[in-house]
Amino acid sequence: FSFASSVFVYSLLHPFFTSRKVPLPHICLFFFLLFSFRSTMADINVDEFDAEVQAEEVEEVFATSSVLEAPKVKLFGKWSVDDIEIADKSLVDYIAVKDNHAKYVPHTAGRYAAKRFRKATCPIVERVINSMMMHGRNNGKKLMTTRIVRHTLEIIHLNTGENPVQVLIDAIANSGAREDSTRIGRAGTVRRQACDVSPLRRVNTAISLLCTGARNASFRNIKSIAECLADELINASKVSTNSYAIKKKDELERVAKGNR
């Protein structure tokens, strides 16, 4: 609002001021209010322009940038599960470790036993933790077994230099018997018949055998349960006969072969 424009406005309003005999202070107050209103409107326009520019910049950023990726979930804040591979394709649907099943802490408190087959969606590390809570005195001590499994993963990484979650997956895939024997009764006589084992039962028995072997090895032993579990998982992942689970698996398959 320049000086020339103010003079023009005064020349237009001069007859009104003179005819009405408006005092000079009132004329000054009028121009002061006029200047104030003009400056306020200018500030408002500048703010609106800045807001529009910022909105356009934000829209450009979202238009040019790709979809924001969620932070990668790492088990215990250390072990990535994105590159985990399950060699046995039949077990992919029953070993929950990736995508929605990835957890920072494997303590979901889910009701996986409420419905049949729902436990297949339970994170596999949490299933191992639950299986470690066995034999009365350990029932319900999930925080204790969580700590044991966390220490086990640390020991596996120190011994092998690999991702301990991958070692765990390989151990479970190698420890489940593919063939077993079932009881068939006919006319009062009972005999054993070989049968195939479903993928879910293979995972269930593998977890049970691994935990049982670690529990038996640590009993009356100077080694801690975490060290024994780490040794059991490493041996099972290498299909070594030093593993309790591998021995039991071979025994079950040998018996089933004789019952064909």
Side-chain angles (χ1 to χ4, degrees):
F1 198 66
S2 62
F3 177 75
S5 59
S6 62
V7 172
F8 176 71
V9 171
Y10 180 75
S11 62
L12 292 177
L13 298 177
H14 179 68
F16 173 76
F17 291 142
T18 54
S19 64
R20 299 282 183 169
K21 296 182 180 180
V22 179
L24 183 61
H26 291 184
I27 297 174
C28 295
L29 178 61
F30 170 76
F31 277 99
F32 174 74
L33 295 175
L34 187 62
F35 276 114
S36 300
F37 176 75
R38 176 63 181 174
S39 60
T40 303
M41 292 301 297
D43 293 340
I44 293 175
N45 292 335
V46 169
D47 292 340
E48 290 178 353
F49 178 75
D50 291 341
E52 291 177 359
V53 169
Q54 291 177 0
E56 291 177 358
E57 290 177 354
V58 171
E59 290 178 359
E60 290 178 0
V61 169
F62 277 105
T64 56
S65 64
S66 59
V67 179
L68 297 177
E69 295 183 358
K72 292 184 178 181
V73 178
K74 293 184 177 182
L75 183 66
F76 294 116
K78 281 190 174 183
W79 317 116
S80 174
V81 296
D82 294 334
D83 54 349
I84 298 298
E85 296 181 358
I86 303 174
D88 195 336
K89 299 303 179 185
S90 64
L91 301 180
V92 171
D93 295 335
Y94 299 95
I95 296 180
V97 67
K98 288 184 179 181
D99 301 330
N100 295 334
H101 306 295
K103 306 294 178 185
Y104 288 104
V105 179
H107 195 315
T108 60
R111 299 174 65 242
Y112 298 107
K115 194 174 182 181
R116 193 181 184 191
F117 302 127
R118 186 179 290 177
K119 62 182 176 182
T121 62
C122 179
I124 194 67
V125 180
E126 185 173 3
R127 293 198 64 188
V128 175
I129 289 173
N130 294 341
S131 186
M132 291 297 294
M133 294 189 297
M134 291 286 181
H135 292 330
R137 61 181 181 175
N138 298 321
N139 287 352
K141 298 181 181 179
K142 192 164 185 176
L143 294 181
M144 181 187 71
T145 54
T146 303
R147 173 177 51 81
I148 290 171
V149 172
R150 188 177 76 248
H151 292 173
T152 298
L153 298 180
E154 296 279 1
I155 294 170
I156 292 174
H157 179 68
L158 290 175
N159 289 344
T160 63
E162 302 175 7
N163 188 341
V165 183
Q166 182 67 61
V167 175
L168 173 65
I169 299 301
D170 293 341
I172 292 174
N174 296 334
S175 301
R178 294 175 176 83
E179 191 178 17
D180 202 351
S181 301
T182 184
R183 288 164 55 92
I184 292 183
R186 184 177 300 172
T189 60
V190 177
R191 67 186 182 88
R192 307 280 290 180
Q193 175 64 46
C195 63
D196 296 331
V197 181
S198 68
L200 181 58
R201 181 170 173 81
R202 285 180 57 194
V203 173
N204 297 343
T205 55
I207 294 173
S208 176
L209 291 175
L210 290 169
C211 294
T212 302
R215 192 178 299 110
N216 293 343
S218 66
F219 189 65
R220 291 183 179 177
N221 193 346
I222 194 172
K223 278 188 176 182
S224 67
I225 181 67
E227 293 172 319
C228 293
L229 182 58
D231 292 341
E232 181 70 22
L233 293 176
I234 292 172
N235 291 332
S237 66
K238 297 177 180 178
V239 200
S240 171
T241 53
N242 293 330
S243 168
Y244 173 88
I246 297 297
K247 284 184 197 173
K248 284 291 184 181
K249 171 200 168 186
D250 293 341
E251 180 183 348
L252 289 173
E253 291 183 343
R254 185 173 63 253
V255 172
K257 186 177 181 180
N259 291 327
R260 287 177 183 172

